[in-house]
């Protein structure tokens, strides 16, 4: 355990060397939130659409934009780098679990993002656009649970992609595909409640909704308590399914691994 | 760097890509999925709300497609080349480029000419053509010429801005975050600019000329009034591209002349 914490800390401090660019990141987040906020104000105005106000949608956008900085699905380039350079050979011989090593370094950089970009961006967005408080203490607890699910599902999806890249050797293409599905089905920009029915039910069957829509919807309290509970259980089920898949695939991948350089 | 030399280079690059044919097509399929996703989400949005600031789906599709199409054209000549400059400056491999007996900028952008953008062009080109037919515009020769000119100009604006960002790596050594910012700011022009109010329109017209890529050309083609530019200046819009590209080039050359080598 101590080793993994150290990997997390290491990845946190590695990110520290980019802290002069924090301003640009804050500006970038501000631009993204600004764009979405203006669009919601333009289409919803001062009224409500389907019982949702522009102010609620702005909070939805703020949560989604900032959560994107914390998600862990982008490790495939790191794995790919190790694969192509051959560094993976030495990483595998270390007496530790490779996926947990990836997870801890991912969490380390997310921790960095949380402290240096998410929290400042949140404060800026709060002043500039206003932020609705969570619907209740219970909803806030559900929101934190949903963030946990978002982290675990995003990690597992990214890890799945990295493993498939052991065969396909093009993590880049796989990343693009994953990105496409996340764009549509995560509800990061357009929440699922505004989807046409067929699209809504498709998104409901997929794991991507947990990366954006679910945490924000739980926070705002737009779902009933039962709906929220069902969704959270579904999220746990998705984590379990993905965990089984990556576990099986990892065993095969290691056996298949051919060190190409080093 | 003559045009003949460039075509020879393109043929060679094509051969190089075709060595790993499966990989190339996988990458293209993936990008098609990714950009189709971007279109679908805007389409779903308009399914719900009917329009954004009075712009309907075909109009938004036209606006977005011009942005993506010109980006693909411009980025094929500049994005990866400029993004990787940072690494080359860091490793000192840039020096190899500077001792070649050709203009380093032209060599860099042509040598790095990226066939991978074909997927962007296919997706945005098809939607562009669909949008133009769906809009039922009355096409005169003048309008067709205007569209072609503004697409070329838009591509040059994108190249100019990417070049400018790339050149900052000579000065600050790092430029990666500016590219991230570029993509975030570029998202403004995925939507009609009046949504964002006066300040943003002034900013994207006079400071960073993003509005000239698609908003002004599309507004003129759709006979929509814009806040800052009147109809009379519509033929000046295509001049922005060459201007922007020249400015980017000048800045890049200034940067490369200042470059003293960072690593080795």
């Amino acid at each position: 355990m101590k080793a993994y914490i150290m990997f997390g800390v290491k990845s946190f401090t590695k990110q520290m060397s980019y802290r002069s660019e924090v301003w640009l990141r804050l500006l970038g987040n501000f631009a993204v939130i600004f764009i979405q906020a203006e669009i919601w104000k333009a289409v919803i105005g001062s009224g409500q659409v389907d019982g949702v106000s522009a102010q609620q949608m702005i909070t939805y956008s703020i949560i989604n934009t900032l959560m994107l900085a914390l998600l862990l699905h982008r490790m495939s380039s790191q794995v790919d780098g190790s694969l192509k350079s051959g560094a993976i050979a030495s990483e595998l011989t270390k007496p530790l679990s490779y996926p947990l090593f990836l997870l801890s370094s991912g969490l380390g950089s997310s921790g960095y993002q949380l402290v240096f970009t998410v929290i400042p961006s949140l404060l800026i967005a709060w002043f500039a656009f206003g932020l609705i408080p969570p619907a209740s203490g219970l909803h806030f607890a559900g929101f934190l649970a949903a963030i946990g699910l978002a982290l675990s599902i995003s990690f597992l999806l990214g890890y799945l992609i990295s493993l498939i890249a052991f065969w396909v050797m093009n993590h880049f293409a796989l990343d693009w595909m994953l990105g496409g599905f996340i764009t549509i089905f995560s509800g990061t920009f357009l929440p699922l409640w505004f989807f046409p029915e067929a699209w809504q039910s498709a998104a409901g069957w997929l794991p991507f909704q947990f990366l954006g829509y679910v945490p924000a919807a739980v926070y705002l309290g737009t779902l009933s308590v039962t709906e929220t509970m069902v969704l959270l259980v579904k999220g746990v089920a998705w984590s379990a399914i993905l965990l089984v898949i990556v576990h099986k695939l990892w065993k095969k991948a290691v056996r298949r691994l051919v060190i190409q350089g080093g | 760097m003559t045009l003949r030399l460039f075509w020879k280079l393109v043929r060679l690059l094509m051969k190089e890509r075709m060595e790993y044919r499966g990989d190339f097509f996988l990458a293209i399929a993936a990008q098609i999925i990714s950009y189709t996703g971007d279109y679908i989400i805007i389409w779903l949005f308009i399914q719900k709300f009917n329009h954004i600031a009075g712009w309907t789906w075909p109009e938004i599709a036209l606006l977005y497609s011009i942005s993506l199409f010109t980006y693909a054209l411009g980025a094929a000549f500049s994005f990866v080349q400029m993004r990787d400059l940072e690494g080359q400056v860091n490793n000192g491999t840039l020096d190899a480029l500077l001792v070649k007996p050709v203009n380093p900028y032209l060599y860099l952008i042509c040598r790095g000419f990226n066939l991978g953008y074909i997927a962007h062009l296919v997706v945005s080109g098809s939607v562009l053509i669909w949008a133009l037919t769906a809009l039922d515009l009355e096409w005169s020769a003048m309008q067709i010429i205007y569209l072609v000119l503004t697409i070329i100009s838009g591509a040059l604006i994108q190249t100019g801005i990417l070049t400018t960002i790339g050149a900052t790596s000579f000065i600050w050594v790092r430029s990666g975050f500016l590219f991230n910012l570029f993509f975030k700011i570029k998202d403004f022009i995925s939507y009609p600019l009046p949504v964002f109010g006066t300040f943003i329109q002034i900013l994207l017209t006079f400071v960073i000329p993003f509005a000239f890529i698609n908003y002004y050309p599309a507004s003129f083609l759709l006979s929509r009034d814009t806040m800052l530019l009147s109809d009379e200046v519509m033929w000046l819009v295509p001049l922005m591209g060459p201007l922007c590209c020249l400015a980017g080039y000048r800045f890049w050359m200034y940067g490369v002349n200042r470059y003293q080598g960072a690593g080795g």
Side-chain angles (χ1 to χ4, degrees), chain A residues 28-244:
Chain A
N29 279 339
F30 182 80
V32 173
I33 296 170
F34 178 82
I35 289 173
Q36 298 189 6
E38 292 302 310
I39 288 172
W40 291 119
K41 278 193 234 161
V43 295
I44 299 182
S46 52
Q48 289 191 334
V49 173
D50 296 351
V52 180
S53 67
Q55 202 54 48
Q56 277 176 306
M57 280 317 302
I58 290 171
T59 298
Y60 184 95
S61 298
I62 293 173
I63 293 176
N64 268 289
T65 307
L66 298 184
M67 216 169 56
L68 224 46
L70 300 178
L71 295 182
L72 305 168
H73 60 279
R74 298 181 205 86
M75 91 286 271
S76 71
S77 60
Q78 187 192 341
V79 178
D80 185 72
S82 306
L83 261 183
K84 296 217 165 113
S85 72
I88 192 142
S90 75
E91 281 161 2
L92 287 178
T93 50
K94 288 191 183 111
L96 46 86
S97 146
Y98 188 62
L100 284 180
F101 157 71
L102 286 177
L103 179 64
S104 52
S105 54
L107 284 174
S109 9
S110 284
Y112 169 83
Q113 293 296 341
L114 181 69
V115 176
F116 288 95
T117 60
V118 172
I119 291 176
S121 292
L122 185 71
L123 294 175
I124 294 169
W126 192 357
F127 280 115
F129 309 105
L131 191 71
I132 295 176
S136 73
L138 197 64
H139 283 96
F140 190 67
F143 168 67
L144 293 180
I147 286 195
L149 284 174
L151 290 177
S152 87
I153 290 176
S154 65
F155 173 77
L156 290 166
L157 285 172
Y159 186 47
L160 180 65
I161 292 286
S162 313
L163 290 180
I164 297 174
F166 275 59
W167 281 269
V168 184
M169 281 303 195
N170 188 339
H171 79 99
F172 203 68
L174 297 167
D175 248 3
W176 277 84
M177 284 189 204
L178 180 66
F181 286 112
I182 290 178
T183 305
I184 306 172
F185 294 111
S186 69
T188 294
F189 171 53
L190 185 68
L192 267 50
W193 60 67
F194 288 144
F195 278 30
E197 217 156 292
W199 288 84
Q200 201 171 15
S201 60
W205 283 105
L206 294 167
F208 307 108
Q209 56 171 328
F210 295 100
L211 306 188
Y213 164 74
V214 174
V218 170
Y219 178 96
L220 287 171
T222 50
L223 307 165
S224 71
V225 177
T226 8
E227 277 175 318
T228 307
M229 292 311 286
V230 169
L231 267 178
L232 292 181
V233 170
K234 226 184 194 175
V236 174
W238 262 114
S239 300
I241 293 169
L242 288 168
L243 196 62
V244 172

Side-chain angles (χ1 to χ4, degrees), chain B residues 193 197-209 211-212 216 227-228:
Chain B
L193 289 186
T198 313
F199 174 72
I200 293 295
Q201 289 187 60
I202 293 175
L203 182 77
L204 297 185
T205 304
F206 299 113
V207 185
I208 320 168
F212 290 91
Y216 289 123
M227 190 183 79
L228 296 171

Side-chain angles (χ1 to χ4, degrees), chain B:
Chain B
M1 209 68 185
T2 61
L3 207 58
R4 247 184 62 214
L5 201 57
F6 176 65
W7 284 118
K8 192 165 177 185
L9 183 69
V10 170
R11 276 204 303 279
L12 286 175
L13 287 169
M14 198 105 81
K15 264 192 186 159
E16 185 190 338
R17 278 300 175 95
M18 286 305 127
E19 281 293 306
Y20 305 97
R21 201 165 302 195
D23 199 65
F24 183 61
F25 287 117
L26 181 72
I28 285 182
Q31 293 185 19
I32 289 178
I33 291 177
S34 171
Y35 277 104
T36 309
D38 286 354
Y39 275 107
I40 286 178
I41 204 69
I42 299 177
W43 175 75
L44 287 173
F45 184 95
I46 295 178
Q47 288 295 99
K48 179 71 199 172
F49 296 97
N50 301 319
H51 61 83
I52 302 176
W55 291 53
T56 59
W57 166 238
E59 292 171 314
I60 297 272
L62 175 73
L63 191 71
Y64 188 75
S65 298
I66 297 178
S67 156
L68 185 55
F69 195 87
T70 55
Y71 168 71
L73 282 181
F77 283 102
S78 54
F79 175 59
V80 174
Q81 295 89 319
M82 293 303 150
R83 186 198 60 191
D84 291 352
L85 268 184
E86 173 186 293
Q88 291 179 343
V89 168
N90 262 322
N91 299 329
T93 42
L94 184 77
D95 302 32
L97 174 78
L98 298 178
V99 295
K100 289 197 166 61
V102 283
N103 179 320
Y105 181 73
L106 284 180
Y107 178 81
L108 182 75
I109 61 169
C110 293
R111 176 66 187 88
F113 178 71
N114 192 337
L115 293 167
Y117 283 99
I118 193 90
H120 294 64
L121 292 176
V122 169
V123 177
S124 58
S126 349
V127 181
L128 182 68
I129 290 167
W130 171 83
L132 289 174
T133 51
L135 279 166
D136 219 17
L137 296 174
E138 289 198 16
W139 283 97
S140 64
M142 286 304 241
Q143 275 170 315
I144 295 173
I145 293 171
Y146 187 70
L147 180 66
V148 172
L149 284 180
T150 50
I151 282 181
I152 296 170
S153 164
L156 289 171
I157 294 175
Q158 309 247 20
T159 307
I161 297 175
L162 287 168
T163 300
T164 307
I165 297 175
T168 60
S169 54
F170 297 128
I171 299 161
W172 297 327
V173 184
R174 285 180 54 81
S175 60
F177 282 78
L178 280 176
F179 284 108
N180 286 340
L181 193 62
F182 167 82
F183 289 111
K184 286 180 173 165
I185 307 261
K186 194 163 77 73
D187 208 29
F188 274 110
I189 59 168
S190 305
Y191 309 96
L193 289 186
V195 172
F196 306 115
T198 313
F199 174 72
I200 293 295
Q201 289 187 60
I202 293 175
L203 182 77
L204 297 185
T205 304
F206 299 113
V207 185
I208 320 168
F210 274 124
F212 290 91
I213 294 173
N214 64 347
Y215 173 63
Y216 289 123
S219 298
F220 291 135
L221 285 172
L222 298 169
S223 320
R224 278 177 181 277
D225 289 334
T226 66
M227 190 183 79
L228 296 171
L229 302 186
S230 66
D231 267 358
E232 290 89 59
V233 296
M234 74 179 266
W235 289 96
L236 291 179
V237 168
L239 290 179
M240 204 59 196
L243 221 84
C244 208
C245 206
L246 185 70
Y249 169 73
R250 281 283 166 80
F251 182 59
W252 198 91
M253 291 306 270
Y254 163 78
V256 86
N257 285 329
R258 267 190 50 158
Y259 167 77
Q260 314 222 312

